[in-house]
Amino acid sequence: MENVSVRKIKNCRLCHSKNLKNLFNLKSTPPANSYVKKSDLNKNLKIFKLSLNLCKNCGHMQLGHLVDRRKIFSNYLYKTNTGKQNLIHFEKYAKKIQKYYLKKNKKYKILDIASNDGTFLSFFNKKKFLRIGIDPAKNLKKLVEKKGIKQIASFFTEKNSIKILRKYGKFEIITANHVCAHLENLYDFFYGVEKLLTRDGIFIFEVGYRLNVIKKKTFDTIYHEHIDYHCLKPVVKFAKNFNLELFDFDLVEAQGGSIRFYLCRKNEKKIKINKINKQIKIEKKYKLFLNKTYYLYFKNIMKIKNNLKKILLKYKKKNTEIAGYGAPAKATTFTYFFELDKNIIKYIFDDSKIKQGKFTPGKKIPIINPKYFNLYRPDIVIVLAWNYYKDIIKKNKNLDYKPKFLIPFPKVKIL
Ligand SMILES: [Zn+2]
């Protein structure tokens, strides 16, 4: 874990203002995706501060510290999006975009940034679209190109955008899904996009929506990979720095509730101003731009933490065997903040083959294939992927015994 650097973020990442207000501090954690191999169990992971700031100038919310992304993403590179829900999401999304381009009889160019294994691009008709992806995961390039999609194995930066421009020209469509909250330099990224967009082209980016973090209380989606917590109002203003305009948006279910922003060059598209203003009003109604909202939010998480601890201690005393279910990245924030370690949770079941046999970051809780559920027979299962608890319970209803499922959040519940 040497050479890991972390620095304080002193300016708003969207408007550069120094007027930042600290909202709350979560527990320091290691990078949320740094699952540990058995052979590395003796090494201790470095932990980093995890705090949130609100920009009092434009209303943007961001982390207080930035961890070197080379460390964070080294484990990310192997992630592929093959979950069924995710495939349906991408297919619907691609269909919607293609509808705009059905009329004209020509070939269009689409660039997908952070294209991963090419899943999203594969839903674009190859006769109608020249499909190009860019992603730093070198190991995915071959796999993607087998699908007839060109893949550039690198990060997307302004510098790289010039190379792409020379080779492929400009693009009618540029997309970036679940990457614009992870960028070290947002401005550099947007300058690159702006260079590559045709005059009437569209840039679409999807990110987790801050309103959902507040409304659905998904505080565990706060971890070092997610530097920015976007919502409409600040982004409308931010786009203007690049002579871009937000002309539409969609609210979608992906990743626990996301927002998809549609941007174009200035004066190129009709702006859905009523729709946008209506949503900004909702953001204000939920008081997304007031410090107090977050103080109360934090207080609520603390209350649940204390309540959960009491319940778990009671069970521990009775020698109950407690397991967890689901070890997504957000479980790192969750287990650290709620102080759930090996002494409380003996092991965690997770469906992901990549994680099975490994240990959770820092807390070193073993991750086990759920097919061994009947063998291990825990008495209580804490659902760590708590926002999917219905699916998890449904999936495990045919066990040969009846364990209790504990939903820790947004209110402790035992089913
Ligand atoms: Zn700002």
Side-chain angles (χ1 to χ4, degrees):
M1 285 319 120
E2 63 287 351
N3 299 328
V4 176
S5 67
V6 58
R7 63 179 163 86
K8 217 171 164 174
I9 308 174
K10 290 179 183 149
N11 297 76
C12 170
R13 286 163 46 83
L14 298 194
C15 78
H16 296 319
S17 167
K18 281 193 191 313
N19 193 0
L20 301 177
K21 179 76 194 163
N22 175 250
L23 300 172
F24 56 80
N25 305 318
L26 291 167
K27 280 258 156 65
S28 299
T29 75
N33 270 304
S34 37
Y35 298 93
V36 182
K37 282 186 287 191
K38 200 169 183 179
S39 54
D40 290 339
L41 266 180
N42 292 330
K43 294 180 195 161
N44 274 328
L45 287 176
K46 205 168 165 178
I47 59 168
F48 302 99
K49 277 189 181 159
L50 192 56
S51 61
L52 272 183
N53 289 336
L54 184 68
C55 172
K56 299 313 288 177
N57 181 44
C58 77
H60 182 55
M61 186 168 95
Q62 62 189 28
L63 291 188
H65 296 83
L66 187 75
V67 181
D68 187 332
R69 69 174 175 173
R70 274 162 299 186
K71 169 69 206 89
I72 285 180
F73 287 98
S74 61
N75 286 312
Y76 240 83
L77 305 183
Y78 305 96
K79 190 181 137 200
T80 47
N81 291 313
T82 46
K84 199 180 157 203
Q85 275 315 102
N86 217 38
L87 290 181
I88 296 170
H89 167 72
F90 277 141
E91 188 176 9
K92 260 170 80 179
Y93 180 1
K95 264 191 188 150
K96 182 171 176 177
I97 301 174
Q98 288 177 85
K99 248 176 149 175
Y100 290 114
Y101 294 90
L102 284 176
K103 289 170 227 149
K104 293 177 196 164
N105 196 19
K106 70 172 250 205
K107 198 155 180 171
Y108 296 95
K109 278 183 280 179
I110 175 168
L111 175 71
D112 187 33
I113 302 171
S115 47
N116 202 268
D117 62 355
T119 302
F120 181 54
L121 283 175
S122 69
F123 290 117
F124 284 81
N125 183 337
K126 63 178 166 201
K127 287 192 188 125
K128 201 111 183 84
F129 294 90
L130 174 67
R131 305 169 300 176
I132 297 173
I134 175 163
D135 196 289
K138 289 195 175 71
N139 56 326
L140 293 175
K141 185 176 158 76
K142 255 194 188 155
L143 176 98
V144 175
E145 299 208 325
K146 265 190 200 153
K147 299 178 188 173
I149 295 163
K150 283 196 173 29
Q151 178 110 322
I152 303 159
S154 102
F155 279 108
F156 184 79
T157 59
E158 191 189 5
K159 210 172 144 193
N160 283 336
S161 77
I162 297 165
K163 286 187 207 158
I164 297 170
L165 183 67
R166 273 196 212 119
K167 193 159 178 197
Y168 300 103
K170 294 190 175 187
F171 292 79
E172 282 87 6
I173 311 160
I174 300 176
T175 53
N177 302 318
H178 297 275
V179 63
C180 288
H182 301 199
L183 301 164
E184 195 154 325
N185 191 338
L186 261 172
Y187 272 78
D188 183 71
F189 185 94
F190 271 74
Y191 282 131
V193 168
E194 196 273 332
K195 277 205 164 58
L196 286 176
L197 207 59
T198 58
R199 208 196 67 201
D200 62 348
I202 54 173
F203 170 48
I204 310 167
F205 72 99
E206 190 176 296
V207 282
Y209 189 24
R210 194 206 313 175
L211 183 62
N212 288 317
V213 179
I214 298 303
K215 249 168 78 178
K216 297 186 183 172
K217 302 193 166 63
T218 51
F219 84 98
D220 46 357
T221 56
I222 300 166
Y223 49 87
H224 298 106
E225 280 89 334
H226 293 158
I227 310 163
D228 297 298
Y229 299 81
H230 291 292
C231 63
L232 262 177
K233 198 185 93 160
V235 169
V236 168
K237 217 172 140 189
F238 173 67
K240 291 180 181 150
N241 291 311
F242 312 91
N243 277 319
L244 297 174
E245 272 179 329
L246 182 93
F247 69 93
D248 198 2
F249 72 92
D250 283 325
L251 300 180
V252 290
E253 274 305 307
Q255 316 246 350
S258 300
I259 186 162
R260 191 183 293 156
F261 297 103
Y262 294 78
L263 281 75
C264 62
R265 290 191 186 276
K266 220 174 151 188
N267 304 324
E268 281 298 326
K269 301 254 183 275
K270 194 170 177 278
I271 295 176
K272 294 193 174 164
I273 192 79
N274 289 336
K275 181 180 171 188
I276 293 168
N277 283 339
K278 207 173 143 197
Q279 190 63 25
I280 290 178
K281 256 193 191 155
I282 293 173
E283 291 180 350
K284 287 181 178 159
K285 197 186 118 201
Y286 277 92
K287 303 188 174 73
L288 282 196
F289 310 107
L290 298 180
N291 306 344
K292 203 182 149 199
T293 309
Y294 302 91
Y295 300 156
L296 289 172
Y297 184 76
F298 188 69
K299 235 171 129 178
N300 181 47
I301 310 173
M302 283 303 285
K303 217 169 95 187
I304 290 158
K305 174 184 175 170
N306 293 332
N307 189 16
L308 180 69
K309 269 189 118 171
K310 254 189 240 160
I311 293 172
L312 290 175
L313 279 175
K314 214 173 80 191
Y315 278 117
K316 274 276 339 165
K317 270 187 194 153
K318 287 191 223 161
N319 260 335
T320 313
E321 184 157 312
I322 304 173
Y325 204 106
K330 61 186 179 193
T332 301
T333 299
F334 199 90
T335 50
Y336 268 79
F337 194 75
F338 282 4
E339 291 167 350
L340 303 170
D341 57 21
K342 269 189 299 192
N343 294 320
I344 297 171
I345 301 179
K346 249 178 126 173
Y347 44 86
I348 296 174
F349 296 116
D350 194 283
D351 298 302
S352 157
K353 289 218 160 53
I354 301 171
K355 292 173 191 167
Q356 290 161 8
K358 293 200 174 83
F359 297 79
T360 64
K363 297 285 179 191
K364 298 178 185 171
I365 305 170
I367 302 169
I368 292 173
N369 189 330
K371 74 178 179 191
Y372 297 119
F373 214 126
N374 283 321
L375 195 74
Y376 280 79
R377 301 180 87 81
D379 305 298
I380 297 180
V381 181
I382 305 179
V383 182
L384 296 168
W386 55 274
N387 43 338
Y388 299 107
Y389 80 87
K390 281 183 187 151
D391 293 335
I392 289 170
I393 291 175
K394 210 169 129 194
K395 226 181 134 179
N396 294 289
K397 67 173 183 213
N398 290 325
L399 296 166
D400 57 21
Y401 80 113
K402 286 249 166 299
K404 282 185 180 137
F405 285 92
L406 188 150
I407 322 303
F409 210 75
K411 224 177 178 176
V412 184
K413 236 185 340 190
I414 297 170
L415 299 172

